[in-house]
RNA sequence: GACCCUAUCGUCCAGCGGUUAGGACACCGCCCUUUCACGGCGGUAACCGGGGUUCGAAUCCCCGUAGGGUCGCCA
């Protein structure tokens, strides 16, 4: 029997990073086994459901490159979807749930009370055979001892999560349920429901949760809890995907930066760890830097211009060759794109603002050196990196100072900062006009 | 309150009865270098505690402790 897995998010308006990893693990398992990855939208809670909220999920999965074989084509619940086991929006499956409730009612496995339908839950401990956690025997809690039954359909006729989740997995032929460990305790309910329908439950794999750096639970408010944070802050999706994989799973050798193909080939359920992992933003940034360095120039330009545009710098106002040359000096130097406006933004502003540190760096003795350098540059016929370099070195020698004492003020004058791209290359890209203008401005400051 | 899961450097992982407990991120030195990165070399740093089992436990068992999760007419 071929593998069928699913990701079943609830459209709450954001895609949790842990949810994204759950989707990823499901997707990887489907791809490695040649199975089917189903996307199902659990939009039973009409109150907080909206098309925009569904789009957040679809956009997030698309950004990560997690394509689904069956599921919605658009965020609109009633529009066509792909796959023949739909509908894939729970809001469109009311008849199915009603029919299934009737089955349990007619078999005496559920009963009505106060207008709601309750399922007759077994009082015996339930054995859950989990591919990650192992065998788990779930006993009743003290409250459940008093009343183990639970509502499967509210008095207003709407079905509840535990019920629709099981019915859909059953009807959609799901073979493996890979989900967060927060569902482990509830799995006994699901197992009992599957049995009530006369079938064995799918295989379960409960994966550990992702916690904040301090070990606390990651909730919407926390930085980086939503996938959109990474989409909007200069991360490459393949880096986020790679990092997410390494939270709770790893290949037996020491590989960390792992191409997607290898990820798919090597990923497997039994190797997943049982304990929760803390999210390390620093390591993600490092990994993102690895991917940025390996990125093709075209992709780098594209992501760079998007980032700059978001920061209010319209690169379209400059000649394409200038933008390209400017970005070339930044390539390989960043960890995340959101560092770019600060790192290379000076290329795309009319003038550079000199803060206190910059003013200090171009005043005093440096002022005279900068003035010397300015006139040397003005007379330079060949305004190229190599010409600029030898001119600067010659000037330093003439003045009798180390190169660094010329480099430093020049960098501050032209970029406003103490660090950045290679000075000689940045000067060439900026061009004579801008360089002399900025040096003049700095000398007057 | 009850039930369930978990426990190796600060963090992510390796280890699956015998290792000088390994790698990565971060951190600290040194080298490279016009800055910053990158790269190279080196360093600091861990088996939660207590009992067992065993010739021998990070590895197996039990008890604590700690963290996480779950017990809804939320999902």
């Amino acid at each position: 029997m071929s593998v069928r897995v699913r990701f079943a998010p609830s459209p709450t308006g954001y895609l949790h990073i842990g949810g994204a990893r759950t989707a990823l693990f499901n997707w990887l398992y489907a791809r490695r086994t040649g199975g089917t990855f189903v996307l199902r939208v659990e939009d039973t809670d009409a109150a907080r459901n909206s098309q925009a909220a569904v789009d957040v999920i679809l956009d997030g999965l698309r950004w990560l490159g997690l394509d689904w074989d069956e599921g919605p084509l658009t965020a609109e619940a009633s529009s066509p979807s792909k796959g023949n086991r739909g509908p894939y929006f729970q809001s469109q499956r009311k008849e199915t749930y009603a029919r299934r409730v009737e089955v349990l009612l007619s078999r005496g496995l559920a009963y009505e009370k106060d207008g709601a339908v309750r399922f007759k839950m077994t009082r015996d401990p339930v054995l859950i055979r989990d591919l990650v956690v192992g065998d788990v025997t779930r006993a009743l809690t003290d409250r459940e001892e008093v009343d183990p039954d639970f509502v499967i359909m509210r008095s207003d006729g709407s079905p509840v999560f535990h019920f629709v989740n099981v019915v859909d997995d059953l009807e959609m032929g799901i073979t493996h349920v890979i989900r967060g460990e927060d569902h482990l305790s509830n799995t006994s309910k699901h197992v009992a429901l599957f049995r009530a329908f006369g079938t064995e439950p799918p295989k379960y794999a409960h994966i550990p949760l992702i916690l904040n750096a301090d070990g606390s639970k990651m909730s919407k408010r926390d930085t980086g809890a939503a996938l959109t944070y990474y989409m909007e802050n200069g991360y490459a999706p393949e880096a986020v995907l790679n990092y997410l994989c390494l939270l709770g799973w790893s290949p037996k050798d020491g590989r960390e930066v792992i191409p997607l193909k290898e990820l798919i080939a090597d990923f497997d359920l039994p190797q997943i760890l049982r304990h929760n992992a803390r999210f390390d933003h620093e390591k993600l940034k490092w990994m993102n830097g690895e991917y940025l360095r390996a990125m093709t120039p075209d992709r780098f330009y594209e992501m760079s211009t998007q980032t700059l545009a978001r920061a209010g710098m319209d690169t379209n106002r400059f000649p394409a060759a200038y933008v390209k040359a400017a970005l070339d000096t930044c390539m390989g130097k960043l960890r995340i794109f959101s560092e770019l406006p600060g790192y290379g933004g000076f290329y795309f502003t009319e003038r550079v603002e000199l803060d206190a540190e910059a003013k200090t760096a171009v005043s005093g003795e440096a002022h005279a050196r900068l003035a010397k350098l300015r006139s040397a540059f003005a007379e330079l016929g060949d305004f190229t990196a190599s010409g600029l370099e030898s001119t600067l070195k010659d000037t330093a020698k003439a003045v009798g100072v180390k190169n660094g004492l010329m480099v430093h003020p020049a960098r501050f004058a032209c970029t406003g900062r103490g660090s950045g791209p290679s000075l000689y290359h940045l000067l060439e890209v900026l061009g004579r006009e801008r360089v002399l203008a900025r040096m003049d401005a700095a000398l007057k400051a």
Side-chain angles (χ1 to χ4, degrees):
Chain A
M1 184 165 65
S2 88
V3 167
R4 288 177 62 82
V5 293
R6 48 65 166 182
F7 178 53
S10 177
T12 57
Y14 88 118
L15 179 51
H16 191 275
I17 191 70
R21 189 188 57 156
T22 299
L24 171 60
F25 281 10
N26 274 282
W27 182 86
L28 282 173
Y29 193 65
R31 292 295 168 263
R32 92 147 261 162
T33 58
T36 303
F37 178 54
V38 179
L39 175 61
R40 182 175 75 223
V41 181
E42 306 221 337
D43 58 344
T44 48
D45 188 352
R48 19 176 227 202
N49 176 35
S50 74
Q51 248 177 267
V54 175
D55 265 323
V56 169
I57 292 165
L58 302 189
D59 290 347
L61 294 177
R62 287 183 184 125
W63 184 75
L64 280 173
L66 307 184
D67 55 321
W68 50 97
D69 307 304
E70 294 179 21
L73 286 167
T74 72
E76 219 254 297
S78 58
S79 71
S81 45
K82 64 179 159 178
N84 56 5
R85 310 287 281 261
Y88 296 91
F89 284 84
Q90 289 184 334
S91 60
Q92 308 295 307
R93 301 174 61 80
K94 299 219 163 67
E95 303 76 36
T96 301
Y97 306 134
R99 197 181 71 239
R100 288 283 182 172
V101 167
E102 280 309 315
V103 169
L104 294 184
L105 245 16
S106 65
R107 289 185 193 163
L109 298 170
Y111 58 93
E112 275 191 72
K113 188 187 179 190
D114 298 338
V117 179
R118 292 167 52 93
F119 176 68
K120 283 187 185 172
M121 180 63 184
T122 175
R123 297 183 65 93
D124 297 326
V126 175
L127 173 67
I128 300 161
R129 319 212 67 161
D130 194 282
L131 262 23
V132 171
V133 188
D135 287 355
V136 176
T137 304
R138 166 79 216 284
L140 259 32
T141 68
D142 54 357
R143 289 169 206 230
E144 290 167 337
E145 287 282 0
V146 175
D147 179 14
D149 301 343
F150 58 92
V151 171
I152 55 175
M153 186 170 275
R154 302 183 188 88
S155 43
D156 68 358
S158 63
V160 308
F161 168 75
H162 297 301
F163 184 72
V164 296
N165 195 264
V166 164
V167 167
D168 288 345
D169 283 346
L170 180 53
E171 303 234 346
M172 292 181 182
I174 299 304
T175 60
H176 298 253
V177 170
I178 304 170
R179 69 196 349 177
E181 201 211 66
D182 50 336
H183 288 294
L184 183 57
S185 288
N186 286 147
T187 304
S188 55
K189 292 190 176 78
H190 303 171
V191 169
L193 278 168
F194 274 106
R195 300 239 163 93
F197 285 121
T199 176
E200 277 303 296
K203 290 188 170 27
Y204 289 101
H206 286 92
I207 65 179
L209 271 23
I210 297 179
L211 272 28
N212 285 316
D214 65 1
S216 63
K217 183 181 176 181
M218 208 183 244
S219 57
K220 321 100 235 167
R221 285 259 165 233
D222 294 308
T223 304
L227 189 68
T228 45
Y229 173 82
Y230 306 93
M231 298 166 74
E232 291 165 0
N233 281 281
Y235 289 84
E238 58 271 35
V240 174
L241 186 152
N242 192 154
Y243 177 73
L244 247 23
C245 260
L246 263 23
L247 252 26
W249 176 86
S250 67
K252 42 258 129 215
D253 52 36
R255 276 139 61 224
E256 305 238 38
V257 179
I258 310 170
L260 188 56
K261 276 187 180 168
E262 291 177 31
L263 243 22
I264 292 170
D266 298 342
F267 180 82
D268 207 356
L269 267 14
Q271 301 161 31
I272 296 176
L273 296 177
R274 277 78 51 190
H275 61 264
N276 296 340
R278 299 179 189 209
F279 199 96
D280 185 348
H281 287 276
E282 283 305 312
K283 185 152 186 177
L284 203 211
K285 283 181 186 172
W286 163 77
M287 181 157 293
N288 201 67
E290 294 293 303
Y291 278 91
L292 289 209
R293 247 167 262 121
M295 194 172 271
T296 63
D298 282 348
R299 181 123 184 279
F300 183 81
Y301 300 148
E302 161 129 26
M303 291 188 76
S304 292
T305 49
Q306 285 172 4
T307 304
L308 289 167
R310 253 200 300 272
M313 295 175 199
D314 181 11
T315 53
N316 290 321
R317 300 187 348 243
F318 299 86
Y322 174 81
V323 176
K324 199 166 176 297
L327 293 175
D328 274 337
T329 69
C330 301
M331 198 154 38
K333 303 262 215 163
L334 309 168
R335 290 197 304 168
I336 54 178
F337 280 105
S338 56
E339 293 168 353
L340 183 59
Y343 190 83
F346 66 87
Y347 282 121
F348 310 107
T349 53
E350 282 310 312
R351 63 182 62 192
V352 296
E353 296 297 326
L354 300 184
D355 61 16
E357 186 193 5
K359 280 179 181 166
T360 305
V362 298
S363 58
E365 293 183 6
H367 189 276
R369 292 197 295 271
L370 190 59
K372 269 266 196 304
L373 192 60
R374 193 261 179 230
S375 40
F377 281 174
E379 286 165 29
L380 179 60
D382 183 25
F383 215 80
T384 61
S386 60
L388 287 156
E389 180 171 0
S390 50
T391 300
L392 181 143
K393 287 179 176 173
D394 288 346
T395 309
K397 201 168 188 177
V399 179
V401 297
K402 286 185 176 178
N403 296 338
L405 291 178
M406 299 300 279
V407 168
H408 202 54
R411 177 183 295 284
F412 267 107
C414 295
T415 72
R417 295 192 161 223
S419 68
S422 160
L423 178 68
Y424 309 120
H425 292 89
L426 131 209
L427 293 174
E428 176 182 329
V429 173
L430 240 24
R432 183 197 307 275
E433 201 178 313
R434 285 193 191 85
V435 168
L436 296 183
R438 290 182 187 195
M439 288 176 102
D440 285 338
L443 287 166
K444 281 181 209 150

